[in-house]
Amino acid sequence: MPGLFDKRNILAAVSHRWVRYILGAALGIAFALLIAFNALLLWVATGPRSLARFTPYIEESLSSASRNYAVKIGETWLTWSGWRHPLDLQLRNVTVLTKQGQVFSSFPEI
């Protein structure tokens, strides 16, 4: 007659606890991600946010790898433009320079 401390009962209880632990952890992570996403949305929706620290990376990604031209950006902003275009990246005072450093083109806002 199987008792309370039967090997099968112990294994079932241990595996049941692990399933509950994993499901609880997954639910906690999903909840934390939901809160973080809503905080980000609220942060952007309350006004335009400067992304000045990312401007050099954007300039580098838009510039030519062969150095035939370079892109210079004055300001970078993250804005909320409504539900049709929830997040917009606005670049202001964008200048495209030739290899010699001459202005090829200039844009007040992109």
Side-chain angles (χ1 to χ4, degrees), residues 8-18:
R8 285 179 287 169
N9 288 341
I10 293 173
L11 289 176
V14 168
S15 66
H16 181 68
R17 266 187 281 172
W18 277 104

Side-chain angles (χ1 to χ4, degrees), residues 20-79:
R20 287 183 64 189
Y21 175 75
I22 290 171
L23 286 177
L27 186 61
I29 290 170
F31 185 70
L33 288 173
L34 181 66
I35 295 296
F37 177 74
N38 284 325
L40 175 68
L41 210 58
L42 182 64
W43 179 71
V44 172
T46 56
R49 300 297 176 177
S50 174
L51 297 178
R53 74 175 79 162
F54 298 109
T55 300
Y57 301 110
I58 297 170
E59 287 176 346
E60 185 179 332
S61 68
L62 294 176
S63 294
S64 170
S66 61
R67 306 282 185 222
N68 288 333
Y69 65 89
V71 177
K72 297 295 177 192
I73 301 170
E75 300 175 355
T76 306
W77 293 88
L78 184 64
T79 61

